[in-house]
Amino acid sequence: MYALVDGNNFYVSCERVFRPSLNGRPVVVLSNNDGCAIARSNEAKALGITMGEPWFKIRHLEEQAGLVALSANFTLYGDMSDRMMSLAAGLGPTQEIYSIDESFISLHGVRGDLMERAWKIRARIHQWIGIPCGIGLAPTKTLAKLANHIAKTAERKAGSYPSELATVCNLASLSAAELAVILQATEVGTVWGIGRQIAQQLQAMGVHTVHDFVALPGDVVRGKWGVVLERTWRELRGEPCIELADNPPPKQQIACTRSFGQPVSDLPPLQEAISEFTTRAAEKLRRQKHRSGQVMVFARTSPFRDGPRFSKSVVVPLARPSADTTALTAAALKGLSSIYQPGYQLAKAGVMLLDLVPDSQVQCELLWDEEPTEQRDRTRLMEALDQVNGRFGKRTLLLGSSGMNQGADTWGMKQVRRTPRYTTDWTEVPVARA
DNA sequence: TCTGGGGTCCTAGGACCC
DNA sequence: TCTGGGGTCCTAGGACCC
């Protein structure tokens, strides 16, 4: 048995913990650059706002419907997530943190009433962290996701769904007939692993509901879509095929990419941005205790705007794998100058670190072009840099090429509605007044 | 005027090996 | 006319997830 614990409208719920006045109101959280809606309260969903809808298309609802829009505050959400995950872990022996707001928990060997246990954990998360959750219980991960989806739907559409399915839903406790009714009422596109393309193809074949889908012959599913969808199909029929990833492998690539606050044409601000992105990516790389053998850089114009198009990328191999911010930045900037062309309104750029190898598996060399002691010194320099920035804040020590003001007047991100970092910065802790 | 930022896995096809 | 049977590695592209 598996459980899926999922925070409702997670980013919005995080914001509401510190601003209870937002309860009951339509609220959206915007992506970086205040571009589009990436989280919506139930009231915002009821206004017809869709996931990923551009802000400029819905901003009229601010006046018309009292919509509140907030800039993304990922520092806050990350910290709230850690707290929620540690409580959710109490449900069973092993946990897979699947995304910032979701975790799978294996219930293998757990005794007693599972529903009772899930209700208690849910109540504790609500009381201690302030985040409302849905919990789905089922024999496979795909069914647990589905159970979770049903729990949320039942909560939102109280009345049209049996109320005992709301907030905590255990598919294993239903009779075959009850399950069939629910699967007939659930669209095939809501299944984990069935996206827009496949859902469309299924609809065209007359397969509209989950019930229709599990009734398809297995070899048709495999023949037409391959082993991935066949796994999903098996899981929906109760056969576990996807294991719990409670010990996730290290990342194979690490990226830092951003859209700019305004279009950039000149090289110097672009160099600043690429230098900053490489610094961020290198920090992640060192946290994972890996080095990178290749650096990829790209820049492009907006796909949504008219005018001359530009989109280029280049991979710069390193002489040896490195986790040194200066070496990686030098490679990234070299790559940038090789693809840069003036005269374009660039909207986005980014850096990806590829060909990652663990620190412990770095190949020794026969001939060094620099002294081994120099290498050791650079490693220690990076350690010092990470420690100082960890203690005193991200940009306390930085490369000169990153610039001093994060591109405030050129490439920097637009974020005019960000809330305080309530839980991670002493100067932003909320104050209660008597 | 204004459209995010991360990731993963699988398959097909080509180059190459003996 | 007629042309084997294994493999590996790499890349590009397409699907998916949140």
Side-chain angles (χ1 to χ4, degrees):
Chain A
M1 281 289 283
Y2 294 98
L4 180 76
V5 183
D6 180 335
N8 297 353
N9 314 329
F10 186 66
Y11 299 160
V12 170
S13 297
C14 289
E15 299 287 354
R16 280 177 167 172
V17 171
F18 297 93
R19 286 175 65 180
S21 64
L22 296 176
N23 286 320
R25 299 189 58 176
V27 181
V28 293
V29 171
L30 302 175
S31 63
N32 273 342
N33 235 9
D34 292 346
C36 47
I38 54 170
R40 307 156 292 154
S41 71
N42 289 347
E43 298 80 5
K45 289 175 188 171
L47 286 176
I49 298 171
T50 58
M51 186 65 179
E53 191 153 19
W55 171 232
F56 70 87
K57 288 189 182 168
I58 51 173
R59 77 182 309 165
H60 62 276
L61 294 171
E62 250 181 328
E63 287 214 346
Q64 282 174 20
L67 176 65
V68 177
L70 302 168
S71 300
N73 185 347
F74 291 113
T75 312
L76 173 67
Y77 312 149
D79 185 64
M80 296 294 279
S81 171
D82 291 344
R83 296 165 191 247
M84 185 178 88
M85 294 303 173
S86 66
L87 291 186
L91 208 46
T94 44
Q95 179 184 39
E96 169 188 350
I97 295 177
Y98 176 67
S99 74
I100 193 163
D101 69 329
E102 282 172 78
S103 68
F104 288 103
I105 290 120
S106 162
L107 301 174
H108 187 76
V110 175
R111 297 189 199 171
D113 186 335
L114 292 178
M115 289 290 276
E116 194 72 18
R117 201 181 168 88
W119 277 109
K120 274 190 185 154
I121 292 282
R122 185 184 178 277
R124 186 183 296 168
I125 291 172
H126 200 197
Q127 186 178 351
W128 293 11
I129 315 296
I131 302 286
C133 289
I135 301 183
L137 305 170
T140 69
K141 285 170 74 176
T142 305
L143 283 171
K145 284 279 276 188
L146 192 65
N148 181 276
H149 176 259
I150 290 164
K152 284 188 175 176
T153 312
E155 186 182 6
R156 205 153 24 119
K157 299 186 182 167
S160 62
Y161 268 73
S163 62
E164 67 270 19
L165 296 179
T167 66
V168 176
C169 171
N170 182 1
L171 289 186
S173 72
L174 303 178
S175 71
E178 290 172 316
L179 186 60
V181 170
I182 290 180
L183 296 190
Q184 274 161 17
T186 309
E187 275 179 42
V188 72
T190 63
V191 170
W192 185 48
I194 299 184
R196 263 227 320 276
Q197 303 293 323
I198 293 174
Q200 226 171 48
Q201 293 160 15
L202 287 167
Q203 303 272 5
M205 294 173 59
V207 175
H208 300 287
T209 68
V210 183
H211 183 80
D212 298 340
F213 180 62
V214 296
L216 284 176
D219 47 349
V220 168
V221 175
R222 182 177 185 139
K224 218 160 150 46
W225 291 281
V227 294
V228 181
L229 199 69
E230 189 197 9
R231 254 192 316 255
T232 299
W233 177 83
R234 285 175 185 269
E235 284 239 326
L236 285 173
R237 295 162 66 98
E239 179 188 339
C241 301
I242 306 175
E243 283 184 12
L244 195 81
D246 59 336
N247 198 355
K251 301 233 184 298
Q252 298 173 37
Q253 48 183 4
I254 289 174
C256 183
T257 69
R258 293 277 178 283
S259 295
F260 301 133
Q262 50 181 293
V264 172
S265 299
D266 300 333
L267 188 56
L270 208 53
Q271 288 170 322
E272 242 183 65
I274 289 296
S275 172
E276 178 69 17
F277 300 163
T278 313
T279 302
R280 287 282 95 79
E283 285 168 359
K284 296 186 207 170
L285 182 67
R286 291 193 293 271
R287 225 173 294 139
Q288 183 174 296
K289 300 199 187 317
H290 275 56
R291 300 182 194 191
S292 162
Q294 296 187 316
V295 182
M296 195 270 265
V297 194
F298 75 87
R300 64 164 172 77
T301 50
S302 168
F304 303 108
R305 297 187 59 170
D306 297 332
R309 294 285 174 95
F310 180 91
S311 178
K312 278 198 171 170
S313 70
V314 64
V315 175
V316 182
L318 272 62
R320 63 177 67 83
S322 174
D324 186 311
T325 299
T326 58
L328 295 168
T329 305
L333 291 177
K334 192 177 119 195
L336 176 65
S337 55
S338 78
I339 57 169
Y340 173 75
Q341 287 172 30
Y344 293 100
Q345 302 262 296
L346 300 171
K348 182 173 182 171
V351 172
M352 292 178 81
L353 305 181
L354 313 169
D355 206 3
L356 306 189
V357 289
D359 275 347
S360 56
Q361 284 174 27
V362 171
Q363 177 120 31
C364 291
E365 290 180 43
L366 198 53
L367 300 168
W368 297 86
D369 59 6
E370 65 188 74
E371 293 296 321
T373 53
E374 198 180 325
Q375 297 246 323
R376 273 201 297 278
D377 288 348
R378 302 205 69 85
T379 304
R380 292 179 60 199
L381 179 64
M382 288 301 116
E383 284 168 13
L385 186 108
D386 289 336
Q387 276 176 29
V388 169
N389 286 341
R391 180 164 171 194
F392 298 104
K394 254 183 191 169
R395 289 171 52 90
T396 308
L397 286 177
L398 63 145
L399 297 191
S401 56
S402 292
M404 297 304 290
N405 64 359
Q406 302 186 67
D409 44 5
T410 49
W411 57 273
M413 218 162 38
K414 225 167 25 187
Q415 263 209 318
V416 293
R417 306 149 182 276
R418 212 203 75 234
T419 52
R421 300 175 175 106
Y422 301 106
T423 62
T424 54
D425 189 324
W426 287 114
T427 63
E428 301 184 22
V429 170
V431 177
R433 294 194 180 76

